[in-house]
Amino acid sequence: MEENNSDHNKAVYVGKPVYVGFDVGSTFVHYAAITSQGAVVYSPQPIMHFANPIGAVIEAWRDILNRFGARVINSTAFTGSGAQIFPRVMSGAVYVYDSVAIPKGAEVVSPNAGYVLHIGAKDSYFFHLETVNGKRVIQEWRTGTKCGGGSGTLIEKQCRRLFEGEIPN
């Protein structure tokens, strides 16, 4: 990426088209940009939204536009507990359920991962991933209780199941 010296508010991204994703959680907005090959080209620190997720998404979107410019953004997707509204007000944006986004994201970060645990403030998830006929599939998935209250229970149950006989009660 090269910065245009005549306009410090705009960066000129010299590279491939990007896909931008936002995770609007109960306390933070996480966001990243990836290429069509799944390479992460930008993943800044999340923004704490202090019960104002719209303000944090606006801040994150401005950061993305300043870094890449609108012309190279191929698609924008949202996930998370506070994200369903954004595709209604952002033309072309899509919403993806956490239960779809989490295993797909894990596949980008660690293509051979067999197990994924997601501990969120709202929901916790466990996924067992396998390759079947050359495709990565969710073999099994479980969720804890609402509001993160079941996160510890979910982890404990899955550890007992996965390591049965190896870990004492």
Side-chain angles (χ1 to χ4, degrees), residues 36-49:
S36 60
Q37 291 77 33
V40 178
V41 291
Y42 187 56
S43 179
Q45 291 295 315
I47 300 170
M48 184 176 275
H49 61 64

Side-chain angles (χ1 to χ4, degrees), residues 31-86:
Y31 60 108
I34 64 171
T35 66
S36 60
Q37 291 77 33
V40 178
V41 291
Y42 187 56
S43 179
Q45 291 295 315
I47 300 170
M48 184 176 275
H49 61 64
F50 300 104
N52 180 11
I54 293 172
V57 168
I58 290 170
E59 181 182 338
W61 184 247
R62 284 183 184 141
D63 180 32
I64 290 291
L65 289 178
N66 285 335
R67 183 165 292 273
F68 297 101
R71 291 177 24 181
V72 299
I73 299 172
N74 264 4
S75 181
T76 304
F78 288 86
T79 191
S81 60
Q84 288 181 326
I85 188 69
F86 291 100

Side-chain angles (χ1 to χ4, degrees), residues 130-137 139:
E130 287 194 11
T131 302
V132 177
N133 296 327
K135 292 187 139 210
R136 294 295 283 170
V137 297
Q139 209 47 27

Side-chain angles (χ1 to χ4, degrees), residues 99 124-128 138-143 158:
S99 57
S124 53
Y125 294 97
F126 163 80
F127 297 94
H128 174 194
I138 298 171
Q139 209 47 27
E140 169 188 17
W141 73 284
R142 301 275 188 259
T143 187
Q158 297 312 319

